[in-house]
Amino acid sequence: MKNSIKIEELLMLGLAIYLFSTLSFAWWWFLVLILLPDIGMLGYVFNPKTGAFTYNLFHHKAVAVLMFFLGLYLANEYIQLIGIIIFGHASFDRALGYGLKYPTSFHDTHLGKIGNTNE
């Protein structure tokens, strides 16, 4: 089952790449921006609860889809780009086993424990 989920997430990353190709931005923008959603980890500077909230906000696919469709509705490629980057980044993270965070610890995700769990 784990491999099936990883393949599904990689296909969703492929969808994000395809959707990016429909926009008028140069390809290097995708490479520059794809890691930007990790800025949500800065919330962990305060505490795990804040960190989980900010991380999940920048990694939630529903947020990404809403941003993309809002951009379509407003005919605004910048808003579409935000949605595509969040969606692609979240898919890539999940293909690597990183999920949405629980407020208990950075290591507690909806996909299971990650990283060094000897806190």
Side-chain angles (χ1 to χ4, degrees):
M1 185 58 92
K2 249 184 182 177
N3 287 335
S4 177
I5 291 172
K6 287 180 181 185
I7 291 168
E8 180 180 22
E9 294 297 342
L10 289 173
L11 289 172
M12 284 191 259
L13 173 60
L15 174 63
I17 293 169
Y18 167 73
L19 291 173
F20 179 83
S21 76
T22 67
L23 302 179
S24 61
F25 297 98
W27 274 103
W28 62 269
W29 278 110
F30 187 84
L31 298 173
V32 168
L33 297 174
I34 194 64
L35 295 178
L36 190 60
D38 279 337
I39 197 166
M41 285 191 286
L42 288 175
Y44 282 98
V45 169
F46 300 103
N47 59 56
K49 187 175 180 179
T50 302
F53 176 80
T54 57
Y55 181 92
N56 291 343
L57 181 65
F58 285 94
H59 288 79
H60 204 290
K61 288 185 180 179
V63 171
V65 170
L66 286 172
M67 292 298 291
F68 178 74
F69 282 113
L70 178 64
L72 279 178
Y73 177 75
L74 298 174
N76 185 319
E77 283 195 341
Y78 292 101
I79 298 173
Q80 290 175 52
L81 176 64
I82 292 167
I84 290 168
I85 293 298
I86 293 172
F87 188 84
H89 179 88
S91 296
F92 182 68
D93 270 7
R94 292 188 185 133
L96 295 176
Y98 297 99
L100 296 175
K101 308 299 183 201
Y102 288 110
T104 52
S105 166
F106 179 81
H107 302 289
D108 297 332
T109 78
H110 82 287
L111 298 176
K113 290 240 182 226
I114 59 165
N116 180 8
T117 57
N118 298 325
E119 294 183 333

